Amino acid sequence: MFARDDDGVELNAEFSVLASGEHLSLVLESAGGRGAGSRPRNDQYVPALTLLLDRLRDRQAVLVSGVVASARTAHLPEEARSIVPVLVELAAQRDINEVRLQITRAQGRVGLPDGAAKEGNNRKRIELRLAVPGYGLDDAGQLAADLAAPAKPVSNTVLPPADELLHHLTGETILTVAGRPNKILGVQDGAAHVATDRSPKGQPVAVADVQYGLDLLAERGSVRVSVDELGHRSAFVGAILATLPHVRVTPSPATVTLAGPGDEPEADDSHFGELDVLAQVKVRTEQAQLRRLLGQGRDCAPCALCGDEFPVQFLVAAHVKKRAACTDAERRNLRAIAMLACSFGCDALYESGWVTVDETGRIQTVGLDELPAGNLKLRLVHLTGRRCDAHRAESEPYFAWHRKTTFRGNLTSRPRPSTRTS
């Protein structure tokens, strides 16, 4: 895959995202020699690496480790190939180019004999292991697509409210991404009644489920049509999203993407062109609302995990239970479903399952004995056994979900500190 910059220009540097062990890994292919035709292979290695790191920073990603992954160095032990010796929280890095420089400079010595006078190639094939909030091991393809796509001006996206869109489509037959017909029979009592081949008399689909899909599309610019992303009526919601003007639909994986300012829509949108007039700006403000609610109107507030206080713009309203897995009722239970977690590591560690909260409200972490000394281990030692301020009787079921589905460690094998009171 090749990334496009924010002007839509493709960079000549091939990359991929793979599920590797416990992590997602960004693999950037080496530069040099000749590629197809006369152009050097991957000659935009440096700008592409800088761009990818910048987009990972926007997603609050953490560089867990990194190695040279070339065939010539495959025989070396991992520590001899390391180019990211300590955990790097990208959100905390003001100059992403400096991170890129550290990675490329570190490559120069890998594979050279001790005492070599000159540094070698610093455009080698590399593997960067990541923890990215919101992306699990099954999301490698989606993360690659998201990193490759130009940034979209999400705040300027104009989408119609779900109820208006559903009323407008009443009586119409629309097709799912898989090509199956759905007909909207009517909209009442907060639900659209949808007829399919299997249910010709119609089954209800909550308007809120469609609104959630619209909000997600407006916020992220791209939505996968899957149960994990959109709930059990994902096929219908995806079909609704596909009727919008200026979207692109790709079949594998099934994805609906808002077209950029310079993109041409792939299908004729004349049937729904009038929606441009009816639509109102509708972007999901839940994140800001949650921060205000949990921060109680303060300019600064503590992270529920590490306990340190930060300005609210550095705190994330982290969902205790993954938002895509929540029912509509759970998503509306704002005080119990979310907590403030700092963007300096705690949010990423919780989202990726490196830490969790046990039934007593104490923070538990992955096994520390297996981790090398460094910033990651120090961070986890600091968190282990702390009291999570967001744990209460009403939030415990959501923490239990996280322990069962996301946490990477073993709760029963780790003793709980008895002297810590914070």
Side-chain angles (χ1 to χ4, degrees):
M1 183 174 290
F2 296 85
R4 290 183 293 155
D5 66 21
D6 289 344
D7 292 326
V9 178
E10 185 175 274
L11 300 181
N12 182 37
E14 186 176 2
F15 80 96
S16 58
V17 178
L18 309 172
S20 176
E22 296 184 348
H23 303 287
L24 290 173
S25 290
L26 171 67
V27 176
L28 183 61
E29 301 298 331
S30 63
R34 293 290 176 185
S38 60
R39 184 169 184 174
R41 185 183 74 248
N42 298 332
D43 64 339
Q44 291 180 296
Y45 183 103
V46 168
L49 178 56
T50 306
L51 179 71
L52 293 169
L53 289 171
D54 191 46
R55 289 177 179 173
L56 285 167
R57 177 173 61 178
D58 291 342
R59 289 165 173 80
Q60 311 290 319
V62 176
L63 288 183
V64 178
S65 63
V67 294
V68 171
S70 65
R72 292 184 178 181
T73 62
H75 65 286
L76 297 175
E78 181 158 317
E79 57 267 24
R81 298 183 289 119
S82 175
I83 54 175
V84 182
V86 297
L87 178 148
V88 180
E89 297 173 356
L90 293 177
Q93 309 302 313
R94 291 187 178 181
D95 186 355
I96 206 66
N97 192 56
E98 184 60 34
V99 179
R100 194 274 305 164
L101 280 170
Q102 292 173 10
I103 291 172
T104 50
R105 287 169 179 167
Q107 299 178 43
R109 303 296 302 176
V110 174
L112 295 182
D114 293 339
K118 295 182 179 180
E119 291 190 356
N121 176 25
N122 60 359
R123 305 292 188 272
K124 297 182 176 77
R125 185 177 189 267
I126 60 172
E127 176 183 349
L128 302 178
R129 292 156 190 160
L130 308 167
V132 189
Y135 296 85
L137 292 178
D138 295 334
D139 300 323
Q142 184 62 44
L143 179 58
D146 291 347
L147 294 178
K152 294 180 173 62
V154 174
S155 61
N156 293 327
T157 301
V158 177
L159 296 180
D163 55 352
E164 286 186 19
L165 180 56
L166 289 167
H167 278 293
H168 182 80
L169 293 172
T170 296
E172 300 286 343
T173 297
I174 59 176
L175 298 180
T176 67
V177 176
R180 296 182 178 177
N182 283 223
K183 184 174 183 179
I184 302 174
L185 303 178
V187 183
Q188 60 183 11
D189 299 326
H193 294 270
V194 183
T196 65
D197 289 341
R198 293 183 178 180
S199 303
K201 293 184 178 180
Q203 292 288 332
V205 178
V207 173
D209 289 347
V210 179
Q211 186 63 60
Y212 172 63
L214 288 163
D215 292 344
L216 202 61
L217 182 63
E219 179 190 33
R220 290 190 350 205
S222 180
V223 175
R224 280 177 299 160
V225 183
S226 67
V227 174
D228 287 344
E229 189 93 61
L230 295 174
H232 75 285
R233 296 307 300 266
S234 59
F236 173 73
V237 176
I240 293 294
L241 298 181
T243 68
L244 294 167
H246 309 298
V247 299
R248 290 183 289 107
V249 180
T250 53
S252 183
T255 306
V256 179
T257 304
L258 285 172
D263 293 343
E264 290 295 329
E266 294 185 353
D268 179 14
D269 67 352
S270 58
H271 185 75
F272 302 112
E274 65 271 31
L275 291 177
D276 287 336
V277 178
L278 295 173
Q280 301 292 322
V281 174
K282 186 72 174 181
V283 296
R284 184 158 64 90
T285 58
E286 181 187 28
Q287 178 66 216
Q289 291 172 351
L290 281 172
R291 276 207 300 261
R292 285 195 296 270
L293 175 68
L294 299 172
Q296 300 176 351
R298 294 171 290 180
D299 293 331
C300 297
C303 169
L305 295 172
C306 69
D308 295 332
E309 191 161 297
F310 298 98
V312 291
Q313 61 262 39
F314 296 112
L315 294 168
V316 177
H319 277 76
V320 177
K321 177 180 177 181
K322 187 176 180 181
R323 192 180 193 279
C326 292
T327 65
D328 183 64
E330 288 173 335
R331 288 197 291 266
R332 295 176 186 277
N333 189 10
L334 299 182
R335 292 188 181 275
I337 198 61
M339 63 180 173
L340 291 178
C342 70
S343 59
F344 299 104
C346 287
D347 177 53
L349 290 170
Y350 184 84
E351 285 283 339
S352 59
W354 283 63
V355 304
T356 195
V357 177
D358 68 18
E359 69 279 3
T360 71
R362 297 285 175 179
I363 298 172
Q364 303 288 351
T365 70
V366 297
L368 299 175
D369 294 340
E370 296 81 11
L371 294 176
N375 291 344
L376 175 60
K377 188 168 186 176
L378 289 174
R379 184 76 172 187
L380 294 176
V381 168
H382 173 68
L383 291 174
T384 300
R386 285 190 58 86
R387 182 78 171 82
C388 175
D389 293 340
H391 185 272
R392 300 180 299 279
E394 56 269 35
S395 60
E396 164 56 20
Y398 306 135
F399 281 110
W401 180 92
H402 183 269
R403 293 194 297 270
K404 181 178 179 181
T405 66
T406 308
F407 184 51
R408 300 170 182 267
N410 183 352
L411 288 170
T412 60
S413 66
R414 200 162 27 260
R416 188 177 300 122
S418 58
T419 59
R420 193 186 294 272
T421 58
S422 60

